[in-house]
Amino acid sequence: MSLSLVFEHLFIVFFASLLSVAVGLPLGILAYLYPRVRGVILKVVDLLQTIPALALLGIIMVFIGAGKITVIIGLTLYSLLPIVRNTCLGLEEVDPGVKEAARGMGMSKLYRTLFIEFPLAFPTVFTGIRIAIVNAIGTAVFAAFVGGGGLGSIITRGIRIQKMSLVLAGTGALMTIAVIVDLLMGAFERGIRSHKGSAKSRWIPTLAVLLVCLVVRLPYGTSSSDSDDLLIYDGNYSEMQIMNRLAKYLIEDQTDITVTIMDEMSQVNSFKSLIGNSHTCDLMFSYDGTLLTTFLGLDPTDVPEGETLYDYANQVAGEEYGIRLLAKVGLDNTYAVAVTQEVAEEYDLETVSNLIPVASELTFGAEHEFFTQEGSMKYGPFVEFYGLTFRDAVSVDVSLKYTAIENGSFEVTVVYATDGLNRKANLVILEDDLSFFPEYNGAFLIREDTLTRFSDAPLEDILNQLEGLISNEDMTEMTYQADVLERDVDDIAREFLVERGLLAEE
């Protein structure tokens, strides 16, 4: 875990906290001053708090794209409730005698609220700010799902590859940050409540904290780069990360282009960032099957007779979004059905069809997405196609799937063919003998205007040097090294290119 991730996480939290204070305090004051709108304001901030954090970030990303700005806005909205409520409550609890005295001196309602009542209510207000900031430290882990960076990527990766040290490191860092921040703010709050010192001396630490937050922002702001850079969002799987670095090393070795690999992002969110006029991504690694079924919302049955899935998906993607797949790199990371070694030996399983007579004795488990109704490559169509009736079917988070099958929660699952964790879990891949799952040929997906923008450099020719070069066995070995042997993906990618004669040894 790098220190930069810690500072990145701090930037997200504290800059969002600045915005939540800037928005929450005025809303709390308005709610106090105008009882007619109080119910509306409090109800809105209550509703915002009930929206799941990841869903809120997803909604925001639809409108403004991925990255740190999306996370900051989401955390700001999520942090409003304690600030708005405590501001309104603190002002309501100011001694009525003080309010009456200020009114008797001829002060306007707004003036006495801001300069008489608010300083007296500030201890309660500050408690709301303190709660909001501490809560935001934990909530910010969801930044990893929308390209926002931070410590969330450490935790999710640790869960997926069953590396407890990573989970503990990420969680420990979050707990340490939360405790330190809470202690500092608690000490400041106690100083305020003790009424020691002038108002000026109480506000100086607050301003100092705000200034520190702004300084922290400078080196750890939103992901950005010069317009001449080629932008790629990093994947949240080792395979994506390795392929991104293969592209980076090849391009930078053979051109003057700088390739910037930004924060981690899911496949779907990377695609959303790749398309449209306001795109924030120029290139991503994907699969023809994913392009057809997930991104374009089509099924293999939509492919015209005599045309390959790859060619048809490319044609539709070009017409709808101005993007296309480059040459297939060789791997076919399709869905595969796998069982534990013990089950394979007990029932003599080699093909999916072999499961038919014994399925009623076995439990099938997979990530939540495999049980959705969208698309034809899901659990329902799969069991119907093969005529399988499992004893039970359970869904788990994708990051917990391998842990669950190793712990005996289920015996049959669906995996990706090139995942190195299959080897670690000692799974046996069953042959899809009736060819239910389509091909998922890996290839780089690029915008046509990216090729135009870098027309002086033969980007397509450079990346197509990988055509047919990476087999399933190659990628399985590389992901095994990354996820199980814990080697750095940069080293793995560089070594592969050197071995294939595409990059000179350093």
Side-chain angles (χ1 to χ4, degrees):
M1 181 179 67
S2 65
L3 193 60
S4 64
L5 286 177
V6 175
F7 286 117
E8 192 173 51
H9 198 91
L10 283 172
F11 158 70
I12 294 170
V13 169
F14 286 116
F15 197 69
S17 298
L18 287 177
L19 290 179
S20 62
V21 170
V23 175
L25 292 183
L27 285 178
I29 293 172
L30 283 175
Y32 167 71
L33 289 174
Y34 302 102
R36 290 184 178 180
V37 301
R38 182 180 305 166
V40 175
I41 293 175
L42 295 181
K43 181 61 68 177
V44 169
V45 295
D46 282 344
L47 288 174
L48 286 172
Q49 193 74 19
T50 64
I51 302 174
L54 191 56
L56 181 61
L57 294 179
I59 293 169
I60 297 170
M61 197 184 77
V62 170
F63 296 98
I64 66 172
K68 291 183 175 61
I69 292 177
T70 292
V71 180
I72 289 169
I73 293 175
L75 286 179
T76 299
L77 295 176
Y78 230 59
S79 301
L80 289 178
L81 178 60
I83 297 175
V84 172
R85 280 199 170 275
N86 275 45
T87 300
C88 184
L89 178 64
L91 290 170
E92 287 179 334
E93 291 181 340
V94 172
D95 188 343
V98 174
K99 297 180 182 180
E100 187 61 32
R103 188 180 301 110
M105 295 177 66
M107 297 179 185
S108 68
K109 187 175 183 180
L110 180 61
Y111 184 88
R112 65 174 180 265
T113 298
L114 294 178
F115 297 100
I116 303 299
E117 298 173 22
F118 185 80
L120 295 174
F122 188 70
T124 302
V125 174
F126 189 77
T127 298
I129 296 173
R130 178 182 175 184
I131 293 171
I133 293 178
V134 173
N135 285 342
I137 292 171
T139 307
V141 298
F142 293 105
F145 295 93
V146 292
L151 292 170
S153 59
I154 295 292
I155 296 174
T156 54
R157 175 174 171 77
I159 293 173
R160 179 178 179 273
I161 66 174
Q162 305 169 58
K163 185 66 177 178
M164 188 56 64
S165 61
L166 284 180
V167 177
L168 293 177
T171 304
L174 287 175
M175 293 174 64
T176 302
I177 292 170
V179 169
I180 291 174
V181 170
D182 189 56
L183 287 175
L184 291 174
M185 297 187 75
F188 180 43
E189 184 179 351
R190 287 191 295 274
I192 294 172
R193 292 186 181 277
S194 67
H195 297 288
K196 294 179 180 179
S198 65
K200 180 179 179 181
S201 67
R202 294 199 302 270
W203 278 99
I204 287 176
T206 304
L207 295 176
V209 170
L210 297 179
L211 180 60
V212 169
C213 293
L214 290 173
V215 171
V216 170
R217 177 187 185 276
L218 295 178
Y220 300 102
T222 54
S223 298
S224 62
S225 62
D226 298 331
S227 59
D228 291 337
D229 289 5
L230 190 148
L231 305 179
I232 306 175
Y233 275 107
D234 213 1
N236 47 13
Y237 287 90
S238 297
E239 182 164 318
M240 304 292 176
Q241 295 171 1
I242 291 168
M243 293 306 303
N244 286 343
R245 281 149 184 82
L246 291 177
K248 176 181 174 69
Y249 289 142
L250 282 176
I251 293 171
E252 291 186 343
D253 182 62
Q254 299 177 33
T255 72
D256 294 328
I257 299 171
T258 297
V259 178
T260 298
I261 298 179
M262 300 179 291
D263 295 314
E264 290 183 17
M265 182 91 81
S266 68
Q267 273 264 301
V268 172
N269 289 337
S270 287
F271 180 76
K272 291 177 180 177
S273 302
L274 180 71
I275 60 177
N277 295 328
S278 58
H279 67 282
T280 56
C281 176
D282 299 310
L283 174 75
M284 67 177 288
F285 185 77
S286 190
Y287 312 89
D288 54 2
T290 301
L291 177 60
L292 181 77
T293 60
T294 304
F295 301 157
L296 300 178
L298 301 172
D299 285 327
T301 54
D302 296 317
V303 179
E305 187 176 350
E307 192 168 357
T308 66
L309 185 152
Y310 171 88
D311 289 335
Y312 180 67
N314 240 358
Q315 173 193 330
V316 178
E319 293 171 353
E320 292 191 11
Y321 299 114
I323 59 177
R324 65 183 171 93
L325 293 165
L326 300 182
K328 293 180 280 189
V329 300
L331 62 90
D332 177 14
N333 192 13
T334 186
Y335 278 125
V337 175
V339 296
T340 60
Q341 183 72 44
E342 295 77 15
V343 169
E345 293 175 356
E346 180 180 353
Y347 296 103
D348 193 23
L349 302 177
E350 295 182 357
T351 68
V352 177
S353 293
N354 292 154
L355 283 170
I356 296 173
V358 299
S360 60
E361 302 176 37
L362 305 172
T363 298
F364 184 95
E367 56 268 31
H368 305 302
E369 293 79 4
F370 193 66
F371 291 95
T372 60
Q373 298 301 313
E374 295 81 10
S376 62
M377 299 300 110
K378 303 298 182 180
Y379 177 75
F382 164 66
V383 294
E384 182 180 351
F385 180 84
Y386 268 101
L388 296 167
T389 305
F390 288 102
R391 178 180 59 198
D392 194 11
V394 297
S395 64
V396 296
D397 186 86
V398 64
S399 59
L400 299 174
K401 180 171 66 177
Y402 286 96
T403 300
I405 196 168
E406 288 188 79
N407 290 339
S409 300
F410 43 83
E411 299 85 20
V412 189
T413 189
V414 65
V415 298
Y416 294 114
T418 59
D419 198 328
L421 291 176
N422 296 335
R423 185 193 301 179
K424 179 178 183 293
N426 199 27
L427 298 182
V428 175
I429 305 297
L430 302 181
E431 179 190 348
D432 183 14
D433 52 313
L434 299 184
S435 302
F436 172 76
F437 295 112
E439 295 178 331
Y440 278 79
N441 297 296
F444 286 102
L445 187 58
I446 194 168
R447 294 176 59 90
E448 290 286 2
D449 60 11
T450 297
L451 294 172
T452 302
R453 182 155 61 95
F454 297 106
S455 57
D456 293 340
L459 275 182
E460 184 169 1
D461 293 339
I462 292 172
L463 292 174
N464 282 350
Q465 292 176 87
L466 295 172
E467 181 176 4
L469 199 64
I470 307 172
S471 67
N472 278 15
E473 291 73 21
D474 291 330
M475 184 52 71
T476 300
E477 176 61 30
M478 287 192 283
T479 57
Y480 180 82
Q481 290 185 38
D483 292 338
V484 181
L485 302 184
E486 301 178 39
R487 295 195 61 212
D488 189 87
V489 290
D490 293 273
D491 295 336
I492 295 169
R494 180 177 290 279
E495 286 179 9
F496 180 84
L497 292 176
V498 170
E499 289 173 0
R500 299 307 167 98
L502 295 177
L503 196 68
E505 292 190 60
E506 291 185 339

